[in-house]
Each structure stands twice: as C-alpha cells, then as structure tokens.
Amino acid sequence: MAREDGKRNFALRDVDGNETSVFSGNTPRQAALKAARRLEDVADGEQNAERHDIRLREKGSDKVHIYEAWAWEEDAPDDSPDWMPGRITKANVSKQGIEHVDDI
C-alpha cells in the first residue's frame, strides 16, 4: 500500500518468517539498498564483500522480494559535509525473485 508521498513499506524477514525491521522506499530495490547498508558483515571493498540474501515483504501484500545484498566501506568524498564520517557504508543488491506467502 502506497502512502500519500508514494513510498511503500517493506518488512525485513528472517529465515523463520519473523519481521524484524521496516524500510520504506518508492521501489522494493530502494528499500533493499537501505536494508543492505545495515548488514553486520561490511567488507573493506566491494570485491571482498560477502553476499547475503535479504527478504522484504511489502506491507499490505503477500509479496516477498528476494535480493542478494552486499555492503562495503569506503572513504567519504572529498567534498563531503563536516558532519559526515570519514568512512561511509555503500551497498548493492541484485534481485533474485518474488515469492508469495500465506502466513501474513
């Protein structure tokens, strides 16, 4: 279900089907990128990053979007604002498919 601003909410699901966090975005990929930046296993470069499967259920729907996600740290840009830390977390995702669940 879309909000007035067009954003949708996606619940992060673990392997047992428990929903632990909610991420919002205009698209499932946008929410998946937000979730990927919060992965615990963050590498020092994109090539070294370990791949993880993340599952996001669209709130108000039975669709579960499945992504392969990885995250890494890199130096902040030279023109970054003062409040930004020296190292930032970046992420990428690759869609693996959609499942429909009936346990909602």
Side-chain angles (χ1 to χ4, degrees), residues 10 12 23-25 27-39 54-56 65-70 91-95:
F10 299 88
L12 181 64
F23 297 94
S24 63
T27 63
R29 184 176 190 277
Q30 189 177 35
L33 285 168
K34 289 178 182 181
R37 281 193 296 271
R38 288 163 182 78
L39 289 171
I54 59 173
R55 305 166 80 74
L56 295 169
H65 302 268
I66 304 165
Y67 288 89
E68 180 182 50
W70 59 99
N92 204 353
V93 295
S94 175
K95 189 146 192 179

Side-chain angles (χ1 to χ4, degrees), residues 20-90:
T20 57
S21 303
V22 176
F23 297 94
S24 63
N26 292 325
T27 63
R29 184 176 190 277
Q30 189 177 35
L33 285 168
K34 289 178 182 181
R37 281 193 296 271
R38 288 163 182 78
L39 289 171
E40 291 181 14
D41 185 19
V42 177
D44 59 354
E46 186 173 8
Q47 291 74 24
N48 302 333
E50 186 177 332
R51 289 1 189 205
H52 299 274
D53 285 336
I54 59 173
R55 305 166 80 74
L56 295 169
R57 184 183 63 84
E58 188 169 350
K59 292 288 207 161
S61 168
D62 67 344
K63 287 184 189 177
V64 176
H65 302 268
I66 304 165
Y67 288 89
E68 180 182 50
W70 59 99
W72 67 96
E73 279 191 349
E74 62 182 41
D75 292 331
D78 293 335
D79 61 348
S80 63
D82 293 337
W83 55 263
M84 187 179 283
R87 302 274 295 162
I88 58 173
T89 302
K90 300 199 75 169

